[in-house]
Amino acid sequence: MNESDFLAAYNPRAFDPMAVTADVVALTIRDGRLHVLLVRRGEPPFRGAWALPGGFVREDDLEEAAARELAEETSLSPADLDRVHLEQLGTYGKPGRDPRMRVVTVAYLAFAPLLPDPKAGSDADAAVWTPLTATRELAFDHAKILDDGLERARSKLEYTPLATSFVGEEFTISELRAVYDAVWEEQLHPGNFHRKVLSVPGFVESTGLTTERGGPRGGPRARLYRKGDAKLLHPALLRPSREDEIR
């Protein structure tokens, strides 16, 4: 049998039905704290429960589906989506994770500074930016997906310049440190952090400019930096707790 004959005779109904969804762990920093985007489900299953934004993959590809779901819940325009860091997190397909049918989820991780207030999509009652310290019980296996997303974010801040995705095009070292403080949930020593950042080749580069004003207690104006060309940080900036483990 040649390939065309095989495809003509192929019966996909010989297998159990299966669906694919794209879910998003969307993170941003508000008021110095790390927030995740959650939606309250407006339809069964788990009606009224909180969950990560997501939906079934239809005509679009996986990343397009994730971006679509993120835009739907945040009212981001296509131009705004260009400034969002979006990467694939993992695949979740444990039988029984969705009571409707066999559903495999491809999860994505999204980061951006100053994301707008969310607006619930067509299948949600509400959408909110939720501080990570305000724990909620999540539908499906979304608690596991969120935990994995947080660990990915925290790890990537150690060895990539991902933290610059949480700040504007120009930033101070203090603003960059605030990202690490929020994501790692650890207070870093300002002087040590400043020294480490500037010692990593290509992490940041000076704009030659300074802030218009000094700090809240006066003093000199802070220097402004932009993202450098490094793809990996060497040496890495390890979490203080991880430094203790390595030692």
Side-chain angles (χ1 to χ4, degrees):
M1 181 181 293
N2 59 36
E3 186 165 342
S4 59
D5 291 337
F6 169 80
L7 293 176
Y10 184 76
N11 179 18
R13 294 182 178 84
F15 300 92
D16 292 335
M18 179 176 171
V20 177
T21 63
D23 293 338
V24 183
V25 179
L27 302 174
T28 195
I29 294 176
R30 291 185 160 210
D31 301 322
R33 293 191 296 171
L34 187 64
H35 286 61
V36 62
L37 179 61
L38 297 179
V39 299
R40 187 168 60 206
R41 291 183 55 80
E43 300 176 357
F46 301 105
R47 175 185 287 168
W50 291 94
L52 298 171
F56 287 98
V57 178
R58 303 188 189 280
E59 299 299 325
D60 38 14
D61 70 16
L62 291 169
E63 187 164 323
E64 288 173 347
R68 167 174 51 79
E69 291 294 333
L70 181 60
E72 182 178 318
E73 304 296 353
T74 59
S75 301
L76 285 173
S77 68
D80 290 331
L81 281 173
D82 289 341
R83 65 187 178 90
V84 176
H85 175 92
L86 188 66
E87 67 174 68
Q88 193 172 122
L89 171 63
T91 304
Y92 301 81
K94 185 177 180 179
R97 60 181 300 275
D98 191 312
R100 291 168 290 190
M101 61 186 298
R102 183 71 186 272
V103 176
V104 172
T105 285
V106 181
Y108 281 80
L109 196 55
F111 308 95
L114 303 175
L115 287 174
D117 290 332
K119 182 179 179 180
S122 58
D123 59 348
D125 285 339
V128 294
W129 287 110
T130 304
L132 266 299
T133 52
T135 57
R136 298 178 186 263
E137 186 174 347
L138 301 183
F140 306 105
D141 54 356
H142 287 188
K144 164 66 174 171
I145 298 175
L146 175 56
D147 286 345
D148 290 350
L150 289 172
E151 182 54 33
R152 170 74 68 84
R154 288 164 178 160
S155 295
K156 292 200 72 169
L157 257 62
E158 293 184 324
Y159 62 88
T160 76
L162 181 61
T164 58
S165 297
F166 284 93
V167 292
E169 291 186 7
E170 296 182 349
F171 51 87
T172 66
I173 298 297
S174 294
E175 290 170 336
L176 189 65
R177 188 183 76 251
V179 173
Y180 280 86
D181 286 346
V183 177
W184 283 352
E185 296 183 320
E186 298 187 43
Q187 295 297 310
L188 304 180
H189 187 278
N192 289 343
F193 180 82
H194 192 283
R195 174 181 54 79
K196 288 179 179 179
V197 167
L198 297 186
S199 69
V200 178
F203 187 6
V204 300
E205 58 183 33
S206 175
T207 65
L209 303 174
T210 62
T211 56
E212 294 183 359
R213 299 179 180 179
R217 298 182 180 179
R221 293 178 293 180
R223 294 180 181 179
L224 290 171
Y225 296 83
R226 65 170 69 93
K227 178 182 177 181
D229 58 3
K231 303 300 181 184
L232 296 175
L233 304 185
H234 183 74
L237 274 70
L238 298 180
R239 284 169 271 182
S241 55
R242 288 250 298 149
E243 287 182 337
D244 294 340
E245 292 175 6
I246 291 174
R247 292 192 186 119

